[in-house]
Amino acid sequence: MSTMTVEEIRLGLLENADSPYGPARIARAEALGAAAEAAKDGALFRQALMGLIDAYEHSAERTRIVVPFARLLQEYDRDPAAFTSWEVHSLFWRFKWVTSGILDSPDIPLEAVERWLTDMERRYRLAGHSERAVRQAEQLLAEAIGDEERTERAFAAWLAADRDSMSDCHACELNDQGRHRALRGDDTEAIRLWGPVLAGDLDCLEEPHRVLALSLLPLLRLGRVDEARTNHLRGYRMARGNESLLRSIGAHIEFCALTGNESRGLEILAEHAGHLGALVDVDAQLDFNGGILVLLGRLKDTGHGDRPTVAHEGAVRTAAELYELLYRDAIAIAARFDARNGTSLTSDRLAERIARQPLAETLPLGVRSPALPAATVPDRPVAVAVSDDGTALSFADLVERARTARRRGHPSALVLWTEVARRADAGAEAAVDPELTADLLEFGAWTAHEDGAADAAERFARAAGAHRAAGLPSRAAYADLAAAGSAAHAGAPASEIVERLAAAVRSAAGLEASDPMRERRVALAEFAGLRLESLLRHRERHTAGEGSEAGPEPVDTTLLEQLGAFVTARSTAPAVAEPAAAETALAARGVGEPGGEEPGGTTDVLAQAELSLAQLLLSAGEPERAVALLASSAGHFLAAHRPWEAVRPLELRARVVAAGGDPGAAEADARAALAHSADVVEPGLLGSVRLTLAEVLIGRGDGEAEAAEHALGAAHWFDRAGLSTGPGARARLLLARAYADAGRDAEAAEVLHSALPDLLETYDGAGDEEVVRARRLLGVLLHRLEDPRAAAEQYLLAAEGTTAWEDPRPQASLANSAAESLAAADLTDESEAAYVRALELWRLAGDCRASEVRVLRSLAWLRLEYGSPPEEYERARRFMGEALALVQDSEVPELRYEWAETCSQLARLLNAEETPEDDGDRTPAPGGPGGVPTVPDRDITLLDRAAGLFAEFGEAARHDRFNALVRAAWTEHERDREESAKARMRALVTELEGTADPADEEAAELLDQARNMLAEM
């Protein structure tokens, strides 16, 4: 038996009504319901039942509303007169929820669902309500059982019926109407119907959350991928962690699975893994798990079935294991619905959903979505290994294309040789062709080198021998040089590296003078030798203990001189100053077509040397020389018809000239780099190019939209490169800033939320300036999105990161922002503590009087509300008095403005303190600290002073002055001093008329307001 008193139960119900929806609220509602029933108080019991129904409806247990609603309906049928009008309205409103709830309960027979719908129709008709809500419920029932004729009839009747107080809100109705059209394949009409909800014109407790999720696949099918991305970022932020929106969570997971963002889908799954078990609402479980099954199916299909996912039923499951467990449960639930409904519709829809194929190969989202590790997938021809008509190349043609790509240094060479090796393994071609055997040995050596194999150098040596045996000494010389480089890469002893390098130099020099590749092989050997010798000097320094653990490595001046000499010796023409000019000159000479340079040319070797020299010069602090070399390097790569190689020097040059204060040149270089990156396959370089251009554009001040596009691409490519931390985090931070600048707050917040863990790692902890700025921005975004509690958390975390900073002002500003957000979240005590801390810090910083004054004014208003006791007003006057004392009679313009604002706010405070019972008989209150006695008309005097001070700031404070003058006049009016009030307003009208400018819309608006107020008086 409950020991709670009626008052305790009533207070508990009020408190629970403000609690977040979820298991805790349900448990509390059930306990309060039992206590209310035991108290034998009918009104209290009805209130408790309503609270329990609400708790169930907005949770994963919504189907349990049937029992408490049936009790409430019994109470109504027993004594309808006991129900207030509001209770009657609430009862009939919740009737709709129950009708939907029993439809989602497969164990309730279809006949019982029909009876319930009939009873709803009867009760609504007797109560005088429109049939609109009834027909909407009937349409949902008919759709669930696959009765198309009844569905369309009920749908038409629903739309034709009048809206009344029982109709769902516009947002919820449009949800169902759009879903009806989407189920019938009319994506265009569905998106049109959802338009007002997606645009934010219509909303409610669960909208646009649900519609944002429902719109994802229709938008993808319509090719409107940017809108789909936006709706995912907006919608998932709203739905995250809300158990009543598990259907929407499932839709977001499915969206990720069908857009190449499986990693993102797994992260969302991990965040909601606690809901994988059996749910009371089995229909929600089916929808939630359906989206997850699409994701797990994609992982299986792409060779990731053995990837660990989340814990379920006592163990961490692989994707394949979790798929089997969830699939078992899903088909069982679907079978229960089909048995109840007498159709196979639910099972058919589940099967169709699980079998869905990707709607976009890869859709960058901006949020963290690392590439999955390479996996074994079914063999299929690669794109570059097919002919123009789409058929697979013959093996001979494939080999020839691979050799051509290798000779040109084209990025496709790797993919082509991979395909050659795959097909050679399946046939006997390599066994009868010594040249191809040597080629495959060389490719195998490169693969071993990339994998870090210890025997890679020896593999290159064997490939060199095979090339010589096949009569290809030039290719052998290249393999010898690769063996030296691979040995260095693997950390081989210096003696081995020197020996292999000497052998490579001999191989190159020993080529016949008539060999077209001789000059190139000699140049490559010389260039590689310079770099390898530098590596050996570096090793020697560290071995001798000369290397420093801290600080940057010293520049290798020997290499600097040698590279300079190499470049000078091999430069046959003056370096091109600008890449754009280089392209024009090359076009005029007809250079740029495939094969534009002779096979044995050395132009690209010179370009690579120039790039290396430029990088050294940047380390040595000589950016001017480096910039010229980078331009020349890009021009030479273009001359060698290797535009993909020009990307790196162009991208680096863009960053250098941007840092040097030339954004125009930086933008030109960055755009050129992007234009030449079409054939680049290195994801890290593709990310760098886009990040550099995005940084230049965001710095321009008007390029946030394009900057966002490139930052989005950068984040995607960095994820693919395994660089989510570092450059990936920087790209996401830039993307969030671009979105914020463009007013896309929800997207910016979601991107920044995703980036924070990587930012913390990238920038070495919470105290880094970039991390603090990121948290501050996230706080601003969350406050704008009306999530002040979360905003305050970010401000406080940012403030904590600044505690070791020498300057206390950033921490003071962040504490101030946290206090404002805490106040907006009704956390008054916490807000006051944050304001007090901010005040301490501003005072510690010194010379921050304007900030101190603003904090004091905020503290004055913090605890005031209608009906506050006199001691709270006295406290508020004390804070205002302190503020006034800090700025009164100041000659500093900023402080004179704060003086005006303080006078204005103090006047408002004194006016608010006057209660209706005063009836104009104003007795002076005791003087408060700070020289602020509450004397008669003190508020009007303060407003006059404020108006005078605001006048000093002209147009910048026009509104502030206007408001002060109007409030003074209106206060006179409220105190029945009509002539004085009208005189003030007439003077203001005359002033505004005298300065009226037909082109000044703001001034005209103020004049209209003044005239209207004078007329009211």
Side-chain angles (χ1 to χ4, degrees):
M1 179 177 291
S2 172
T3 59
M4 297 178 71
T5 66
V6 168
E7 283 306 314
E8 288 172 337
I9 297 169
R10 186 171 288 113
L11 179 61
L13 291 170
L14 290 173
E15 291 174 346
N16 205 38
D18 290 332
S19 303
Y21 288 108
R25 179 163 174 168
I26 288 173
R28 180 69 169 151
E30 289 172 341
L32 290 167
E37 183 176 17
K40 307 298 184 184
D41 185 317
L44 194 64
F45 185 44
R46 292 193 296 274
Q47 184 182 355
L49 288 172
M50 295 278 192
L52 183 55
I53 292 168
D54 290 355
Y56 285 147
E57 171 65 16
H58 301 292
S59 74
E61 302 180 34
R62 60 187 299 268
T63 53
R64 294 178 64 185
I65 62 176
V66 177
V67 173
F69 184 82
R71 292 291 308 276
L72 189 62
L73 196 59
Q74 288 173 1
E75 291 289 312
Y76 178 73
D77 289 339
R78 183 176 58 80
D79 186 8
F83 279 59
T84 66
S85 60
W86 178 85
E87 288 174 332
V88 173
H89 174 87
S90 299
L91 173 73
F92 277 84
W93 183 266
R94 285 158 178 77
F95 219 118
K96 301 180 297 180
W97 296 354
V98 180
T99 305
S100 175
I102 62 174
L103 181 60
D104 292 342
S105 302
D107 299 327
I108 297 179
L110 198 59
E111 297 78 10
V113 179
E114 292 281 9
R115 285 197 302 272
W116 191 272
L117 183 62
T118 301
D119 189 41
M120 176 183 175
E121 180 176 9
R122 177 184 66 82
R123 289 178 182 272
Y124 270 46
R125 184 174 61 252
L126 292 175
H129 296 307
S130 167
E131 70 168 353
R132 189 177 181 91
V134 178
R135 299 284 78 85
Q136 181 180 3
E138 183 186 8
Q139 184 263 334
L140 293 174
L141 168 60
E143 189 169 80
I145 62 177
D147 188 336
E148 280 296 314
E149 182 180 349
R150 186 181 180 187
T151 298
E152 293 300 331
R153 186 172 64 249
F155 187 76
W158 166 24
L159 299 186
D162 293 334
R163 283 188 57 83
D164 68 352
S165 61
M166 284 298 112
S167 301
D168 276 355
C169 76
H170 282 288
C172 288
E173 283 204 336
L174 290 178
N175 176 321
D176 284 347
Q177 291 169 22
R179 191 177 58 83
H180 174 78
R181 299 313 314 164
L183 279 173
R184 280 145 190 81
D186 192 350
D187 292 331
T188 301
E189 178 62 10
I191 296 298
R192 187 193 70 78
L193 286 166
W194 289 328
V197 184
L198 295 174
D201 298 331
L202 298 173
D203 59 21
C204 68
L205 184 64
E206 293 187 337
E207 298 297 354
H209 317 43
R210 297 182 302 166
V211 165
L212 285 165
L214 289 171
S215 72
L216 297 174
L217 299 194
L219 285 169
L220 287 176
R221 288 192 290 261
L222 292 171
R224 294 161 65 172
V225 295
D226 290 339
E227 293 170 74
R229 176 195 301 113
T230 293
N231 290 358
H232 168 65
L233 295 178
R234 286 177 59 204
Y236 181 63
R237 193 193 73 82
M238 293 177 169
R240 179 192 285 116
N242 189 335
E243 68 168 28
S244 72
L245 294 173
L246 289 177
R247 289 178 172 85
S248 298
I249 299 297
H252 285 286
I253 292 174
E254 179 179 8
F255 168 80
C256 292
L258 299 180
T259 56
N261 289 284
E262 293 87 355
S263 290
R264 165 76 167 172
L266 286 171
E267 287 184 6
I268 296 175
L269 171 59
E271 289 180 340
H272 299 85
H275 297 292
L276 278 179
L279 301 178
V280 174
D281 184 350
V282 293
D283 190 59
Q285 181 182 350
L286 184 61
D287 266 1
F288 177 50
N289 287 358
I292 297 170
L293 285 168
V294 176
L295 170 66
L296 299 174
R298 285 295 304 153
L299 291 171
K300 288 172 55 184
D301 292 347
T302 54
H304 294 285
D306 59 350
R307 179 185 176 88
T309 57
V310 296
H312 182 54
E313 295 186 354
V316 174
R317 304 293 180 175
T318 65
E321 290 170 343
L322 187 59
Y323 180 94
E324 294 303 321
L325 293 171
L326 297 187
Y327 182 72
R328 176 199 65 197
D329 294 343
I331 60 173
I333 293 172
R336 289 165 62 192
F337 276 106
D338 287 341
R340 193 272 303 271
N341 297 337
T343 71
S344 64
L345 187 61
T346 305
S347 295
D348 293 344
R349 286 176 175 168
L350 175 65
E352 183 275 330
R353 184 180 190 184
I354 294 173
R356 286 174 183 163
Q357 294 301 302
L359 295 169
E361 182 177 352
T362 302
L363 176 61
L365 299 178
V367 291
R368 196 177 193 276
S369 186
L372 294 173
T376 302
V377 295
D379 289 342
R380 59 183 184 277
V382 294
V384 292
V386 296
S387 60
D388 292 339
D389 62 4
T391 59
L393 290 171
S394 69
F395 186 74
D397 287 343
L398 175 64
V399 171
E400 182 55 35
R401 181 173 291 189
R403 285 173 177 158
T404 299
R406 183 180 65 188
R407 186 167 55 250
R408 294 177 56 212
H410 195 274
S412 64
L414 173 63
V415 178
L416 286 165
W417 280 111
T418 301
E419 182 70 1
V420 169
R422 185 186 71 81
R423 288 169 64 173
D425 286 343
E429 293 90 348
V432 297
D433 185 343
E435 181 179 349
L436 180 57
T437 299
D439 284 335
L440 290 173
L441 283 172
E442 182 184 324
F443 175 69
W446 273 116
T447 303
H449 172 80
E450 292 297 325
D451 291 341
D455 66 340
E458 190 56 40
R459 286 173 179 246
F460 276 117
R462 287 199 294 273
H467 281 307
R468 287 192 179 89
L472 296 168
S474 171
R475 199 72 217 164
Y478 180 82
D480 283 335
L481 186 60
S486 186
H489 180 76
S495 57
E496 179 184 341
I497 297 171
V498 169
E499 182 180 338
R500 290 189 183 277
L501 178 59
V505 171
R506 286 194 301 274
S507 293
L511 293 173
E512 296 289 336
S514 59
D515 191 323
M517 297 298 292
R518 184 180 188 280
E519 183 183 0
R520 179 176 181 81
R521 293 289 176 252
V522 170
L524 281 171
E526 182 181 352
F527 177 50
L530 297 179
R531 299 177 68 174
L532 289 175
E533 288 167 3
S534 175
L535 172 67
L536 293 175
R537 285 193 296 273
H538 171 80
R539 272 201 206 173
E540 187 176 348
R541 284 197 308 272
H542 279 265
T543 302
E546 298 173 14
S548 173
E549 291 295 326
E553 279 289 325
V555 174
D556 186 341
T557 54
T558 302
L559 179 61
L560 192 64
E561 292 174 3
Q562 291 173 337
L563 280 176
F566 181 90
V567 167
T568 301
R570 295 195 173 273
S571 295
T572 57
V576 181
E578 295 293 334
E583 292 186 68
T584 303
L586 294 171
R589 303 204 316 261
V591 177
E593 295 302 315
E597 184 181 26
E598 292 301 317
T602 61
T603 307
D604 63 298
V605 182
L606 171 60
Q608 186 60 56
E610 289 173 322
L611 174 58
S612 297
L613 179 55
Q615 291 168 327
L616 272 176
L617 287 169
L618 288 173
S619 298
E622 297 187 51
E624 295 82 5
R625 288 180 62 194
V627 164
L629 277 165
L630 289 169
S632 181
S633 173
H636 284 128
F637 276 130
L638 293 172
H641 188 61
R642 296 189 176 212
W644 52 87
E645 300 267 25
V647 172
R648 203 176 298 276
L650 285 168
E651 184 266 337
L652 179 54
R653 187 174 190 270
R655 283 193 276 126
V656 175
V657 297
D662 190 349
E667 183 177 344
D669 285 338
R671 289 192 185 281
L674 184 62
H676 291 308
S677 67
D679 289 333
V680 172
V681 296
E682 297 173 63
L685 181 56
L686 290 168
S688 294
V689 171
R690 286 161 175 77
L691 179 57
T692 298
L693 181 53
E695 288 172 336
V696 172
L697 291 170
I698 201 76
R700 197 175 71 188
D702 62 349
E704 63 273 357
E706 189 182 357
E709 175 187 345
H710 294 303
L712 177 68
H716 164 74
W717 286 114
F718 285 134
D719 281 346
R720 291 296 177 268
L723 298 171
S724 296
T725 301
R730 289 196 294 272
R732 263 182 273 282
L733 179 56
L734 187 66
L735 175 60
R737 287 173 177 162
Y739 279 158
D741 289 346
R744 298 163 66 174
D745 292 346
E747 295 162 79
E750 186 63 17
V751 169
L752 206 45
H753 179 272
S754 168
L756 268 175
D758 289 329
L759 286 171
L760 285 166
E761 186 173 345
T762 299
Y763 292 107
D764 196 26
D768 186 272
E769 190 173 341
E770 283 294 336
V771 175
V772 170
R773 279 205 291 260
R775 287 202 184 278
R776 181 194 288 274
L777 175 58
L778 184 54
V780 170
L781 293 167
L782 292 170
H783 196 88
R784 285 186 203 160
L785 292 166
E786 299 180 357
D787 192 353
R789 185 187 290 261
E793 179 184 3
Q794 292 303 322
Y795 286 134
L796 291 171
L797 287 170
E800 185 179 343
T802 66
T803 52
W805 293 11
E806 185 176 345
D807 185 356
R809 287 176 297 180
Q811 187 182 358
S813 175
L814 288 162
N816 207 130
S817 297
E820 292 171 357
S821 292
L822 289 165
D826 294 326
L827 298 170
T828 306
D829 291 342
E830 293 84 349
S831 175
E832 181 172 3
Y835 273 129
V836 169
R837 179 58 178 156
L839 189 60
E840 293 171 353
L841 290 163
W842 288 125
R843 287 172 174 167
L844 178 64
D847 198 25
C848 297
R849 234 187 293 180
S851 298
E852 290 182 57
V853 167
R854 296 184 197 116
V855 173
L856 287 166
R857 291 199 304 255
S858 297
L859 283 167
W861 291 110
L862 183 60
R863 293 187 179 277
L864 287 184
E865 55 188 23
Y866 183 78
S868 288
E871 54 268 24
E872 287 296 343
Y873 279 98
E874 182 180 347
R875 175 181 177 277
R877 280 188 281 108
R878 184 170 65 252
F879 282 124
M880 282 290 185
E882 288 184 51
L884 191 60
L886 284 172
V887 292
Q888 194 163 342
D889 299 325
S890 174
E891 295 301 323
V892 179
E894 181 186 19
L895 297 183
R896 289 184 72 79
Y897 182 88
E898 296 301 333
W899 181 11
E901 184 61 34
T902 304
C903 287
S904 177
Q905 290 197 30
L906 179 55
R908 182 154 57 94
L909 173 63
L910 295 175
N911 189 269
E913 192 172 2
E914 180 184 358
T915 61
E917 288 76 19
D918 286 334
D919 285 332
D921 182 13
R922 295 169 58 81
T923 303
V932 189
T934 54
V935 298
D937 292 339
R938 173 65 168 159
D939 50 353
I940 296 176
T941 302
L942 286 163
L943 288 169
D944 286 338
R945 170 54 64 90
L949 289 165
F950 282 134
E952 297 176 11
F953 296 90
E955 294 297 308
R958 177 165 59 180
H959 263 93
D960 297 318
R961 178 173 178 271
F962 176 85
N963 289 332
L965 292 171
V966 167
R967 283 169 50 206
W970 195 255
T971 303
E972 297 264 29
H973 171 70
E974 287 179 330
R975 292 173 188 165
D976 298 328
R977 299 199 286 266
E978 297 297 334
E979 287 308 313
S980 179
K982 290 178 180 178
R984 285 175 175 272
M985 288 307 303
R986 279 194 290 267
L988 180 56
V989 169
T990 301
E991 176 190 327
L992 291 170
E993 288 174 339
T995 59
D997 179 355
D1000 191 341
E1001 295 182 4
E1002 185 181 22
E1005 183 181 340
L1006 293 179
L1007 179 57
D1008 286 342
Q1009 291 179 26
R1011 285 170 174 167
N1012 291 336
M1013 188 164 289
L1014 179 58
E1016 286 184 42
M1017 291 179 177

